[in-house]
Amino acid sequence: MKWEDHSSVDVGFQAAPVRSAEQGKLLRVCFSGNYGYGSAGNRDATYMDAMFRAADEVLHPEGVILDFSAMAYQWGDMLGKVLNVPDRWRALEEPPFAIVEGADCKGALRSLLVDDLDWDASSLDWIFEDVDQAREFVELRITKNANMFQLQLDRKRDEAALAFWKMLGEEIGPERCRSAACTRLRIKDSVLCRIHHFEQIQHSACPFS
Ligand SMILES: [Zn+2]
């Protein structure tokens, strides 16, 4: 079976390391050739989408650029499905995803997004004419999302620490804490005071007192 029998669009792939991180890949999918006019493009869309999803599944990149700069496109709403971000990024407000447009698809791509897919024309900041700019944009989003993820992790860790601290309860004694030189009383079901028990279990300095 030859793919060319099913679509006149060619699909190429490039993977590059993410510059801003120690690991992770950036996937660029390059489409070229002629996208069929209107519903004649449906087969092209199906083929393009399948190739893109396959590469995404195999590589599992940190960011994706869809490069349409060498593809001619006039109209056909099935192309919209190729523009969907991978499912794992659906919940992200700023998915690490950009597209590159070229002279032979420019107006039509934007018209598809705004007129058919209800995007606000002013929110299309993820469309570029220059692939380096698209890459910079995607890299920035990767960094932002990673920072946000780290913040969420930190917050969860802090919440868990506070819950643990609360659970330990008051220092009821009457015996003193067994940690050397500590003059506090022990908590219930422990030979240590609240702070020393916390630190022994959490393996970190107790932020509470
Ligand atoms: Zn103690």
Side-chain angles (χ1 to χ4, degrees):
M1 170 175 138
K2 287 188 204 145
W3 291 120
E4 306 88 271
D5 298 340
H6 295 267
S7 174
S8 52
V9 173
D10 281 321
V11 187
F13 306 97
Q14 285 180 9
V18 176
R19 289 182 191 134
S20 53
E22 280 171 23
Q23 50 187 8
K25 289 188 205 76
L26 210 61
L27 169 66
R28 176 181 172 197
V29 187
C30 303
F31 302 104
S32 57
N34 292 305
Y35 184 97
Y37 184 79
S39 60
N42 290 358
R43 278 156 51 119
D44 298 317
T46 301
Y47 172 65
M48 293 161 69
D49 192 53
M51 292 295 121
F52 164 33
R53 305 302 161 190
D56 182 58
E57 285 283 318
V58 171
L59 275 183
H60 216 75
E62 306 299 313
V64 166
I65 296 170
L66 298 185
D67 188 345
F68 297 99
S69 60
M71 190 185 87
Y73 165 75
Q74 288 175 281
W75 180 70
D77 55 9
M78 274 281 271
L79 183 62
K81 77 176 190 174
V82 184
L83 304 178
N84 285 326
V85 301
D87 285 344
R88 64 182 180 283
W89 298 334
R90 283 281 167 85
L92 290 179
E93 215 165 287
E94 300 191 357
F97 181 85
I99 69 178
V100 180
E101 60 187 0
D104 295 331
C105 64
K106 197 173 168 178
L109 261 184
R110 285 178 185 265
S111 156
L112 169 70
L113 284 161
V114 174
D115 301 332
D116 296 326
L117 302 175
D118 292 330
W119 277 81
D120 188 339
S122 65
S123 66
L124 298 178
D125 59 345
W126 46 280
I127 304 183
F128 297 87
E129 287 180 39
D130 179 275
V131 73
D132 287 328
Q133 279 180 10
R135 179 171 180 170
E136 231 170 85
F137 174 85
V138 170
E139 293 250 358
L140 191 68
R141 284 193 159 185
I142 291 172
T143 306
K144 275 173 86 173
N145 288 331
N147 291 344
M148 196 182 68
F149 184 63
Q150 187 59 49
L151 276 178
Q152 285 169 348
L153 274 186
D154 290 349
R155 199 176 305 139
K156 274 191 191 145
R157 195 201 52 211
D158 292 350
E159 282 168 7
L162 180 61
F164 181 66
W165 170 258
K166 284 183 174 164
M167 190 200 77
L168 293 180
E170 298 301 318
E171 290 162 345
I172 53 170
E175 300 87 351
R176 289 205 187 280
C177 171
R178 287 226 191 129
S179 183
C182 181
T183 58
R184 301 173 70 112
L185 301 180
R186 71 169 183 90
I187 55 171
K188 187 169 181 280
D189 300 329
S190 172
V191 296
L192 298 171
C193 70
R194 200 176 186 182
I195 290 174
H196 282 119
H197 188 94
F198 181 98
E199 292 181 346
Q200 191 185 54
I201 301 297
Q202 300 278 323
H203 300 293
S204 64
C206 181
F208 312 110
S209 59

